[in-house]
Each structure stands twice: as C-alpha cells, then as structure tokens.
Amino acid sequence: MRHCKILVINSGSSSIKYRLFDVRTNNNKHDAHYDLLTKGLIEKIGQQGSGVSDHKQGIQVLLNQLVASRETGLSSLNDICAIGHRVVHGGVTFGHPALITDEVISKIRDCIELAPLHNPANLAGIEACKELLPQTKQVAIFDTAFHQTLPEHAYIYGLPYEYYEKYNLRKFGFHGTSHHYVAHEAARLLKKPLKKLKIITCHLGNGCSITAVKNGKSVDTSMGFTPLEGLVMGTRCGDIDPASVIFLADKENISLEQIDKVLNYKSGLKGISGISNDMREIKQAARQGHHRAKLALDIFTYRIKKYIGSYVAALDGVDAIVFTAGIGENEKDIRQKIIKGLFNFLNRKKVKVFVIATNEELMIAKQTFHLVK
Ligand code: ADP
C-alpha cells in the first residue's frame, strides 16, 4: 500500500480554500482510495487588519496550518506529493488538466481577458505555491476544460464568424469539474460505463448550469462565453434577448458597465422576486403568498425544464438526469416540479433521476493524482 498526499487549492480574489487528501494505492494504481484529511479557509486576503496581505502570505499561513495540524500526518511539507489548483478559465488552450510549467502559467495569463475576475486570483495561488514549494509538482484543473469537447455547432454563436476567429468569442461553459464529477458518479451508481451513457447534469447553486454528457463527453452546456448565459440564477439573468441591453442603455441612460452589473448581480431570482438570491428565502416568501417570489420560482423551474427537454433532443434520448449543488441537492420540491413536467414526455421507467452531492475538490485531487502518479 502506498500513500500520497494531494493538496487542493481554490484561490479566489480575497480567500483561499484548501483540502488535503490522502491517496492510497496498492500495486494496481487504477484502484486508488481518497480520504479527506483536513480542509480550511484563509479569508480577507488584502483587507486591513486581517494579517494576510497577499496570496503568498495566505499560502504560507495555510502551509503552517497543515504542518501544525495532527489530522494531516505531515512531518514536513515535502510529504505533499502534488498540488491541484482550480483555474476558472482555460480558454481553447486547455481541454485537460495541465502540469504547471512557466509556459502553462503564461497561457493561463493569456486567458485573463476571458475571466478577469477569476484567473488572476487563481494564478496568484499558483505562483505563491511555486515560490514556497518549488520542488512540488503542481497541476491546473480548469472549469472550462470538460466542455472543450463541445462540437462546433454547439459552441459557435450566430454572430459574424470573424468575431470567433479574431477574439475566440464562443461558448466555453463553466462548472465543468462539477458536471464531470457527478456524471462519473451517476455512471458508477448505474453500474454502466460512462462511455455508454447519455446523462443530463444540473448544477443548481447560486450559479446554475446544465450539461448534456454523451459517452462521457460534454456535448452542450447552458453557460456560454461567460457564466451569464443559460438558466435564471441567484443574481444572473441567464438567456435574454441581446437587444434588451441596447434598449436599457437608452431608456435608463446607463453605461454598458452598469448594465453588466445589473445582468450579473441584480437579476435572476433576486431581480424577479425583489427579495433575495437565496432560494430558501424565496420559497418562504412564496409560501406566504408573495406573487413575485412565486413567479421567480416558476421561471426558475420552467427554464430548467426547457433546457433539459432541449438536451434530451441534443442527446437523442437520456439515461439519467442528475441534480447537484445547493438547490439541486437540497430542494426536493423544486426537483419534483421539474421532474413531474419532464415525465409527461419521458419514460419514467427508463430515465433514472439522481441527487448527487458535488465534490469538485475530490475531482481535482483525482485528476491531479492521475497526472502526476
Ligand atoms: P454556490 O454557487 O455559491 O456554491 P450553493 O451550491 O451553495 O451555491 O447553493 C446556494 C443555493 O442553494 C441558495 O439558493 C440556497 O438557498 C440553496 N439551498 C437550499 N437549501 C440549502 C441548504 N440546505 N444548504 C445550502 N444551500 C441551500
């Protein structure tokens, strides 16, 4: 039996989340067991009085915590085999996890224009680890990578083709690690190879997206060039007529930047209900008869049902539908409402419905181990 410790890091703009896994393998390295040893969070990076001025200091605090903790069994930082980093955007360059080199770092930097809020923070975590643990192998796992298998007809927009050629303006899709993980789990529960299944995965959290997975590959997904496209989410509008942006700019006399804020932070469940982006609060208000809360719920579930229906068509059928993330895992009424509508036209004996807790960190640990083993 061999042991290998994998550290998973999700470095955001003001926080770093981490998990340490122990990977046990016998001679058959394909059969690995993953145990979570510890997890933690470094918060308020760069904020006055937090004592953590930047990501390098944050990673240093995290490493000290790991060595000090009994749960980890680390005698020194050299006991960490590899570090897996979550990176939001891998553009068209990264369709798979990548061992981090200077060239990979430079390519992740090239993707900053596609994810200006996320990739710089992800990179800051990578660079800090590289400096503090120069001997340890590091791997980047991209949220967009799973969707790099989308066929052209699913990722090209109905815009002049030159914008795709000039700027890579196309559908990328997000939440890839989560969709990939729950699709794998569904195949395991069905006791069938993922490569022989048609699965629709619904990640319904604050951000929401749906993916059509055919034979283990993402063939369509609801988020797009940015995470704004697709479903109605906590604060994001999802699909709207693009002409509404021009109309609004004129009527409200506001800048494109302000409209971007409206679409990303003031819309969705929050914008429709006028109450909150939190599903629990919306449901409570709906129960008390609040019209706009009820309407937000109806729009939310209707849009999901519509997407699932269209993905049944995209896949030429479906073997399983999976619900995951905060709403998907916990909101039984919402799942039932969606499923009830779908079973009016799907064969309920043939289509399995699963609720699977997402575990992006475990997926990152697995992919990291596979790359470095
Ligand atoms: P994020 O996208 O921020 O990771 P989550 O996956 O945590 O979001 O999902 C948050 C959403 O899940 C909120 O709308 C919240 O109301 C809803 N939710 C419903 N029940 C629960 C629960 N028991 N725990 C956490 N979130 C829940």
Side-chain angles (χ1 to χ4, degrees), residues 282-353:
I282 293 183
K283 277 182 65 183
Q284 196 183 355
R287 276 194 295 271
Q288 289 161 358
H290 191 288
H291 170 68
R292 278 169 57 187
K294 281 199 225 162
L295 181 62
L297 276 176
D298 287 344
I299 296 172
F300 183 79
T301 49
Y302 173 67
R303 183 78 61 93
I304 294 167
K305 182 179 139 188
K306 215 162 68 159
Y307 259 95
I308 295 177
S310 70
Y311 284 176
V312 173
L315 291 169
D316 292 320
V318 62
D319 299 304
I321 298 170
V322 185
F323 290 95
T324 193
I327 298 171
E329 290 167 31
N330 298 295
E331 297 291 357
K332 194 172 169 197
D333 311 352
I334 292 180
R335 286 196 309 266
Q336 279 178 340
K337 200 167 170 200
I338 297 163
I339 292 301
K340 193 166 165 251
L342 289 167
F343 280 157
N344 291 333
F345 67 95
L346 290 177
N347 183 338
R348 69 174 69 211
K349 287 195 182 125
K350 289 200 174 148
V351 182
K352 295 272 176 284
V353 177

Side-chain angles (χ1 to χ4, degrees), residues 146-320:
F146 184 53
H147 303 301
Q148 278 299 297
T149 48
L150 254 61
E152 244 180 342
H153 61 252
Y155 72 70
I156 295 287
Y157 289 123
L159 290 166
Y161 193 75
E162 65 191 82
Y163 297 140
Y164 163 63
E165 291 178 310
K166 277 207 272 191
Y167 311 119
N168 256 323
L169 178 46
R170 50 159 282 178
K171 184 186 275 283
F172 284 106
F174 297 86
H175 291 145
T177 309
S178 175
H179 288 292
H180 195 180
Y181 176 78
V182 297
H184 255 286
E185 286 298 294
R188 195 174 59 79
L189 293 169
L190 285 166
K191 299 191 173 64
K192 287 192 179 153
L194 183 57
K195 283 195 171 161
K196 294 199 170 157
L197 289 167
K198 296 170 181 176
I199 302 177
I200 296 174
T201 51
C202 309
H203 179 111
L204 309 176
N206 236 324
C208 302
S209 67
I210 301 199
T211 296
V213 184
K214 191 173 196 172
N215 307 334
K217 291 184 173 154
S218 169
V219 293
D220 207 346
T221 191
S222 59
M223 282 180 169
F225 178 64
T226 75
L228 197 53
E229 190 182 340
L231 301 176
V232 167
M233 313 180 205
T235 60
R236 297 191 190 113
C237 59
D239 297 337
I240 55 166
D241 182 344
S244 7
V245 173
I246 300 151
F247 178 86
L248 262 185
D250 178 42
K251 287 284 177 197
E252 293 273 308
N253 194 23
I254 52 179
S255 67
L256 287 178
E257 206 178 320
Q258 286 167 305
I259 293 184
D260 188 58
K261 290 217 163 65
V262 170
L263 303 181
N264 274 293
Y265 303 110
K266 295 185 178 174
S267 301
L269 295 174
K270 187 178 178 182
I272 300 165
S273 68
I275 294 175
S276 163
N277 61 315
D278 192 299
M279 185 52 91
R280 290 164 287 196
E281 288 178 37
I282 293 183
K283 277 182 65 183
Q284 196 183 355
R287 276 194 295 271
Q288 289 161 358
H290 191 288
H291 170 68
R292 278 169 57 187
K294 281 199 225 162
L295 181 62
L297 276 176
D298 287 344
I299 296 172
F300 183 79
T301 49
Y302 173 67
R303 183 78 61 93
I304 294 167
K305 182 179 139 188
K306 215 162 68 159
Y307 259 95
I308 295 177
S310 70
Y311 284 176
V312 173
L315 291 169
D316 292 320
V318 62
D319 299 304

Side-chain angles (χ1 to χ4, degrees), residues 22-201:
D22 182 49
V23 189
R24 277 180 291 132
T25 44
N26 43 33
N27 289 337
N28 172 12
K29 283 191 180 175
H30 293 292
D31 195 17
H33 295 273
Y34 294 77
D35 292 315
L36 177 66
L37 297 176
T38 190
K39 61 179 181 176
L41 170 71
I42 311 294
E43 284 182 291
K44 298 181 181 167
I45 297 172
Q47 290 178 22
Q48 255 187 352
S50 72
V52 187
S53 60
D54 57 16
H55 283 77
K56 188 174 166 196
Q57 209 178 356
I59 296 284
Q60 186 65 67
V61 171
L62 177 169
L63 295 175
N64 294 345
Q65 286 181 2
L66 284 181
V67 175
S69 156
R70 277 212 206 133
E71 297 156 332
T72 63
L74 290 175
S75 47
S76 90
L77 292 172
N78 293 331
D79 292 350
I80 298 173
C81 305
I83 305 175
H85 294 268
R86 175 189 180 215
V87 179
V88 167
H89 219 305
V92 289
T93 314
F94 297 105
H96 297 282
L99 196 63
I100 291 172
T101 59
D102 288 343
E103 194 190 345
V104 165
I105 288 182
S106 145
K107 285 180 177 163
I108 296 175
R109 196 165 287 126
D110 290 343
C111 297
I112 285 180
E113 65 171 5
L114 298 171
L117 297 179
H118 294 100
N119 273 30
N122 305 152
L123 265 175
I126 291 173
E127 286 180 325
C129 285
K130 218 169 151 262
E131 244 183 284
L132 295 165
L133 294 173
Q135 307 301 333
T136 310
K137 283 184 183 159
Q138 298 193 53
V139 175
I141 313 287
F142 302 89
D143 279 12
T144 48
F146 184 53
H147 303 301
Q148 278 299 297
T149 48
L150 254 61
E152 244 180 342
H153 61 252
Y155 72 70
I156 295 287
Y157 289 123
L159 290 166
Y161 193 75
E162 65 191 82
Y163 297 140
Y164 163 63
E165 291 178 310
K166 277 207 272 191
Y167 311 119
N168 256 323
L169 178 46
R170 50 159 282 178
K171 184 186 275 283
F172 284 106
F174 297 86
H175 291 145
T177 309
S178 175
H179 288 292
H180 195 180
Y181 176 78
V182 297
H184 255 286
E185 286 298 294
R188 195 174 59 79
L189 293 169
L190 285 166
K191 299 191 173 64
K192 287 192 179 153
L194 183 57
K195 283 195 171 161
K196 294 199 170 157
L197 289 167
K198 296 170 181 176
I199 302 177
I200 296 174
T201 51

